Amino acid sequence: MAALCDRDVLTDWMGLWTEDDTYGARGAHPGPAAVGGLRFAFYGRTSTIEHQDPETSRAWQLEVCEVLVAGRGRIVVQFFDAGRPRRDRWRDRPEAAELLAAIRDPNRGFDAIVVGEFERGFAGDQIQHIVALCRRHGVQVWLPEAGGPLDLDDPEHRALIRMLGEQSLREVIRARHRAMAAMRIQTRDHGRYLGGRAPYGYQLVPAGVHPNLAEARRGRCVYRLEPDPETAPTVRWLFAERRAGRSMKDLVVALNRRGVPCPAEHDPERNRHRTRRRWTAQSVASILANPRYTGWQVWNRQSVDHDHHTPSERRRRRVTRWNPTNH
C-alpha cells in the first residue's frame, strides 16, 4: 500500500507524456464557448468485451455525459475504447490515442472533452497529464464527478482527482485480491478445475451444477478432470519408461516412430499457435514435470502482470512469471 501513496512510483508506473505536461508551464486557459454552447468530444471505455456489452456500456456513459452538458453544449464526436484496461495510458488505447491527436489539432471541431466516468477514463495520476495537455491546447476537461469542467487551480478539484485516482487503483487491487482468493478456495477446497484446456492425458467432465444461482439457471456447470481414454495410456507409458531409465531422446524417437499424436496434433483446434506436429523433448519434459499427473491439484503456477523493461522505462510490457510453490 505504501507504493500507492508514493507519487514517484505512480508517475513511473503510469508513464509521462513525451512532451512536457507540467500544468500551467506553457498553458493557455480554455478558449471561449462556441456559439450555441460548447462542442464536446465524448470519451468512454469498457475493460472487457467478453463479460460486458460494449454498446450498452457506451450508451449509459454517453447518457451520463449528455445529462452533464445539457444546456451548456452538445456532444459532436465520440471516442470509445472496448477491451482496454484502465491502467493503459491513453496513447496505448486506440480511441484515446485518436482523441489525443485531435486535441493537438487546431481544427479539431470541439471545445471540450467529457468523460463518462472517472474510473472508465483514468487510473492513478493519468488525468493530471490529460488536463495539462488539454489546457495547453485550449480544451476543457469535464467530469460527472466534478459536476462540470476541471480546474487544477482549484484546491478542491486537485484533492478530488487525487482521491479519485487512488480510489481507482484501490478498486483494481481489491477486485484482483477477491478474485484470486475465491479461485484459490474453489481449487483447494472444492476441487474445481479453473484452468483453460485440459492437460494432455485428461479430459474435462461436468462435476455438478454451478454454485452461482444465476449461472445455474443458464445451464452452466462446474468441471473436473478425468483421464482421457485416448491419451492417458501415452502419459502412463511415458512415466513408466522414464522411471525405468530411458532417456528423453529415446522417448521422443519412440513416440514419433509409433505415430502417436502429439498434444498439438491430438487437439489442433486449441493448438493453432503450434505448427509442429511431432513430439519434441520439450513436450515430453513438460508432461513429466507437471505435478498434476501425480494426483496433485495444481493451480496458479504462473502469474501475469505488466511491468517496465527497466525502472526508468515508461512503456509497460506483459510479463509472465512462475509463482513460488507455496502460492
Side-chain angles (χ1 to χ4, degrees):
M1 292 301 295
L4 295 180
C5 301
D6 188 328
R7 189 173 186 78
D8 293 335
V9 173
L10 276 175
T11 300
D12 182 61
W13 179 40
M14 290 301 173
L16 297 174
W17 301 105
T18 55
E19 56 190 331
D20 180 8
D21 277 346
T22 305
Y23 183 78
R26 302 188 302 270
H29 285 281
V35 176
L38 290 169
R39 299 166 300 171
F40 285 91
F42 159 77
Y43 179 75
R45 182 196 62 85
T46 182
S47 58
T48 175
I49 58 177
E50 295 181 357
H51 305 291
Q52 286 181 301
D53 174 12
E55 289 306 313
T56 300
S57 184
R58 177 202 291 262
W60 74 255
Q61 293 179 55
L62 182 60
E63 182 178 283
V64 169
C65 292
E66 288 174 338
V67 171
L68 177 64
V69 306
R72 295 182 279 187
R74 59 191 178 89
I75 295 173
V76 297
V77 63
Q78 300 180 25
F79 300 86
F80 188 83
D81 279 305
R84 305 298 304 192
R86 78 180 74 181
R87 294 200 311 181
D88 275 4
R89 297 166 302 174
W90 276 40
R91 66 181 183 185
D92 294 330
R93 309 177 196 172
E95 292 286 311
E98 287 191 27
L99 177 53
L100 289 174
I103 290 170
R104 295 181 173 94
D105 183 359
N107 302 313
R108 68 185 70 91
F110 57 85
D111 313 293
I113 65 172
V114 56
V115 180
E117 184 183 54
F118 180 92
E119 286 83 358
R120 299 284 172 167
F122 311 100
D125 60 356
Q126 289 176 334
I127 190 171
Q128 299 178 43
H129 308 302
I130 301 299
V131 171
L133 175 69
C134 288
R135 182 174 183 176
R136 285 206 307 276
H137 293 278
V139 176
Q140 296 180 4
V141 177
W142 287 46
L143 277 181
E145 291 85 352
L150 281 174
D151 179 6
L152 292 189
D153 289 331
D154 186 336
E156 291 186 3
H157 280 202
R158 290 200 299 271
L160 172 67
I161 64 172
R162 280 198 297 270
M163 182 271 292
L164 290 173
E166 297 295 339
Q167 179 178 300
S168 179
L169 288 176
R170 180 172 176 266
E171 182 181 336
V172 172
I173 294 171
R174 289 183 64 192
R176 180 185 300 172
H177 173 77
R178 288 194 297 263
M180 295 295 288
M183 293 172 73
R184 183 170 59 252
I185 291 171
Q186 289 168 0
T187 304
R188 183 190 65 202
D189 299 344
H190 304 155
R192 286 174 56 181
Y193 181 72
L194 304 179
R197 57 188 176 185
Y200 181 82
Y202 285 103
Q203 62 181 347
L204 291 175
V205 297
V209 178
H210 200 285
N212 184 304
L213 294 181
E215 298 295 341
R217 284 193 290 268
R218 298 187 182 99
R220 291 192 60 187
C221 60
V222 295
Y223 293 90
R224 69 173 185 270
L225 292 175
E226 283 191 358
D228 179 5
E230 294 184 22
T231 57
T234 301
V235 175
R236 295 190 183 100
W237 179 85
L238 280 173
F239 275 90
E241 293 297 308
R242 182 62 173 163
R243 186 176 183 181
R246 291 188 69 171
S247 69
M248 206 79 70
K249 182 178 179 180
D250 284 346
L251 294 175
V252 172
V253 171
L255 288 169
N256 287 325
R257 268 185 193 160
R258 289 162 47 191
V260 177
C262 68
E265 186 178 2
H266 172 70
D267 191 2
E269 287 300 313
R270 303 191 69 176
N271 288 277
R272 295 179 181 178
H273 60 296
R274 301 189 185 278
T275 57
R276 300 190 66 180
R277 293 292 184 263
R278 292 177 58 83
W279 285 92
T280 64
Q282 182 179 1
S283 57
V284 170
S286 65
I287 291 175
L288 295 175
N290 190 340
R292 188 177 291 279
Y293 295 108
T294 65
W296 285 93
Q297 179 74 304
V298 180
W299 172 77
N300 197 30
R301 297 178 72 190
Q302 290 181 312
S303 61
V304 178
D305 205 347
H306 294 82
D307 281 349
H308 302 287
H309 290 280
T310 65
S312 61
E313 191 169 357
R314 297 186 173 95
R315 184 170 181 81
R316 294 190 297 123
R317 63 171 178 170
R318 182 184 175 95
V319 178
T320 302
R321 297 186 181 90
W322 290 99
N323 288 327
T325 55
N326 60 346
H327 277 202

